[in-house]
Amino acid sequence: PAERPCENLYKGIGARLKAARAAEQISMGTLSAKCGRSKQTFSALESGQTAPAVSTVEAIATALDISPCWLAFGLGEPPRARD
């Protein structure tokens, strides 16, 4: 079988999402409204109960003005905290 070195990178998405929300100083409820997803979706993502669809990652990344690649896999620059 072929090696899959990136297979589990998505598992840190909950912590990255939480960090990105904190950097933007945005609540889960506000972000869910901006993305058109339920607050329960964000709660499940941040707690690691579920993995998001690509469209959800893209919606979150757009709403937070962050890289979808960083959000999904932790690759690239993380968001910086606002002053």
Side-chain angles (χ1 to χ4, degrees):
E3 287 187 37
R4 295 183 172 181
C6 299
E7 184 174 2
N8 294 314
L9 287 178
Y10 76 91
K11 290 186 178 181
I13 193 167
R16 289 188 294 275
L17 174 55
K18 194 171 187 174
R21 279 196 317 102
E24 288 294 315
Q25 300 176 355
I26 189 170
S27 72
M28 199 179 287
T30 300
L31 183 57
S32 69
K34 286 179 101 173
C35 294
R37 307 302 194 275
S38 71
K39 191 175 175 182
Q40 291 79 12
T41 296
F42 288 93
S43 181
L45 287 173
E46 285 191 8
S47 67
Q49 294 174 345
T50 188
V54 171
S55 61
T56 300
V57 171
E58 290 174 347
I60 294 168
T62 299
L64 293 175
D65 193 27
I66 60 174
S67 163
C69 191
W70 177 82
L71 180 61
F73 305 111
L75 302 173
E77 292 293 317
R80 296 179 186 203
R82 294 201 181 256
D83 295 329

